[in-house]
């Protein structure tokens, strides 16, 4: 087995298997491991990837970006050394059970922590840089991580949302991060899914105006239309940004004058009724 059932001195003394607070403690321990791993030797490909994506080291700290080593059980062994059991790691969505011992859910991926609007850690998204496999793997759906009820970076965006009276809705982790880096700190992401009623309700709690900035491809435009109707049913005014064909917000904002261009797209979206 990869995990020890004994309690080590480093383990939280009040751990309860039924407590969501305790499961978040496991997630925070995993996040510390992922962030420390990004500085390790095995993370050179991840660091190179982030730099190629024009994400400097200071952004890694700002957005708590990490690295899940490619080995099958590096996180599992770390959690075991901190006194967590296999059951605790599995119930927190960090490991997948097998007869001979659990193995890590996230392997060889750049890690993005997902916090709720109160900044409580709910789970992770892991991006594959190359090779076979799904481009993104998220924490499993459960009590802690429910994509329908989460908006990436809302905890960081909500202050600006209230100040500017608007929210900018994007699709992916990188889009929202790029928005914040370019000064559009009211940006959030719907975790790559069509906007849900629960997410629309979250937006309504903070503002009555939402700008949708999804990818400028067929799927992105269809998702924008669906999101517009969901938001309007909640009483949220919607404007849709018309990005250059074939580009996503990350592409636009990464250009030399990207922030200026994005600002102009927002201004254009304010004119008349939103349409795609």
């Amino acid at each position: 087995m990869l995990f020890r059932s004994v309690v080590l001195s480093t383990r939280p003394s009040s751990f309860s298997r039924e407590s969501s607070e305790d499961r978040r403690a496991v997630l925070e321990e995993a996040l510390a491991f992922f962030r420390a791993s990004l500085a390790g030797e095995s993370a050179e490909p991840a660091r190179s990837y982030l730099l190629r994506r024009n994400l400097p080291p200071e952004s890694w700290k700002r957005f708590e970006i990490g690295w899940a080593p490619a080995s099958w059980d590096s996180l599992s062994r770390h959690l075991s050394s901190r006194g967590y059991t296999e059951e605790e790691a599995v119930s927190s969505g960090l490991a997948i059970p097998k007869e001979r011992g659990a193995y890590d859910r996230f392997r060889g991926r750049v890690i993005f922590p997902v916090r709720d609007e109160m900044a409580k850690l709910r789970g992770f998204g892991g991006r594959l840089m190359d090779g076979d496999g799904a481009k993104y793997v998220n924490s499993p759906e459960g009590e802690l991580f429910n994509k329908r009820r989460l908006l990436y970076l809302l905890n960081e965006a909500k202050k600006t949302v209230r100040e500017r009276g608007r929210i900018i809705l994007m699709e992916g982790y990188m889009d929202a991060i790029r928005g914040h880096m370019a000064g559009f700190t009211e940006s959030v992401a719907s975790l790559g899914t069509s906007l849900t009623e629960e997410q629309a309700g979250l937006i309504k709690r903070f503002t009555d105006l939402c700008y949708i900035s999804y990818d400028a491809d067929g799927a992105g435009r269809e998702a924008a239309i669906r999101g517009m109707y969901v938001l309007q049913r909640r009483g949220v005014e919607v404007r849709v940004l018309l990005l250059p064909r074939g580009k996503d917000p990350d592409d636009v904002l990464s250009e030399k004058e990207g922030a200026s261009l994005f600002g102009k797209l927002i201004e254009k979206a304010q004119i008349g009724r939103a349409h795609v």
Side-chain angles (χ1 to χ4, degrees):
M1 298 292 288
L2 297 172
F3 289 83
R4 284 175 287 173
S5 60
V6 297
V7 177
L8 303 184
S9 60
T10 54
R11 179 184 179 181
S13 58
S14 60
F15 199 98
S16 166
R17 292 172 184 170
E18 288 74 33
S19 169
S20 60
E21 289 294 331
D22 289 331
R23 283 195 288 275
R24 280 196 289 272
V26 185
L27 295 181
E28 291 287 359
E29 181 64 41
L31 177 56
F33 171 81
F34 291 142
R35 295 183 67 185
S37 296
L38 187 56
E41 183 177 348
S42 72
E44 179 56 37
R47 294 191 294 269
S48 297
Y49 166 80
L50 292 170
L51 292 173
R52 287 197 307 272
R53 294 298 300 268
N54 202 21
L55 290 178
E58 55 267 25
S59 69
W60 309 346
K61 180 179 180 180
R62 176 180 176 183
F63 299 105
E64 303 181 286
I65 296 172
W67 163 248
S71 74
W72 282 89
D73 62 353
S74 57
L75 175 61
S76 297
R77 285 185 282 107
H78 171 78
L79 292 176
S80 177
S81 74
R82 301 293 290 179
Y84 294 107
T85 66
E86 178 179 314
E87 181 181 355
E88 291 159 359
V90 170
S91 68
S92 301
L94 297 168
I96 299 173
K98 286 288 185 179
E99 285 186 10
R100 296 184 178 180
Y103 64 93
D104 296 349
R105 180 178 298 277
F106 300 100
R107 305 180 309 279
R109 293 176 181 269
V110 173
I111 297 294
F112 302 92
V114 180
R115 297 185 181 274
D116 63 19
E117 70 274 18
M118 300 303 293
K120 293 181 178 179
L121 186 57
R122 292 290 180 171
F124 301 98
R127 194 202 193 281
L128 188 67
M129 295 176 297
D130 51 45
D132 297 329
K135 182 178 179 181
Y136 279 98
V137 169
N138 293 316
S139 292
E141 293 287 312
E143 178 186 351
L144 283 181
F145 188 82
N146 185 330
K147 286 198 298 184
R148 298 181 60 85
R149 301 176 183 275
L150 295 167
L151 288 168
Y152 180 60
L153 291 187
L154 179 58
N155 59 302
E156 297 291 338
K158 62 183 182 181
K159 182 175 183 292
T160 306
V161 169
R162 287 174 170 140
E163 291 173 351
R164 297 181 181 176
R166 70 186 189 195
I167 198 167
I168 301 175
L169 177 65
M170 301 179 179
E171 285 185 270
Y173 299 100
M174 293 294 294
D175 294 326
I177 286 174
R178 188 70 61 195
H180 280 248
M181 292 177 63
F184 299 97
T185 51
E186 67 271 42
S187 300
V188 301
S190 54
L191 300 175
T193 62
S194 295
L195 190 73
T196 67
E197 292 287 347
E198 293 89 343
Q199 290 170 329
L202 262 179
I203 290 172
K204 178 65 176 178
R205 280 174 51 190
F206 293 96
T207 182
D208 293 322
L209 176 60
C210 179
Y211 287 83
I212 298 180
S213 182
Y214 281 178
D215 296 2
D217 57 16
R221 291 174 183 270
E222 290 177 6
I225 292 173
R226 291 194 299 269
M228 180 171 63
Y229 291 140
V230 172
L231 286 163
Q232 288 176 341
R233 285 198 298 269
R234 288 279 183 166
V236 177
E237 182 181 352
V238 179
R239 295 291 179 260
V240 178
L241 276 68
L242 301 180
L243 301 184
R245 185 171 297 276
K247 293 193 175 183
D248 59 26
D250 183 24
D251 295 327
V252 173
L253 289 164
S254 294
E255 295 177 3
K256 185 176 181 181
E257 301 297 331
S260 176
L261 173 58
F262 198 77
K264 291 177 182 177
L265 292 174
I266 289 177
E267 291 176 4
K268 289 180 181 179
Q270 291 176 330
I271 301 173
R273 180 176 174 80
H275 60 279
V276 182

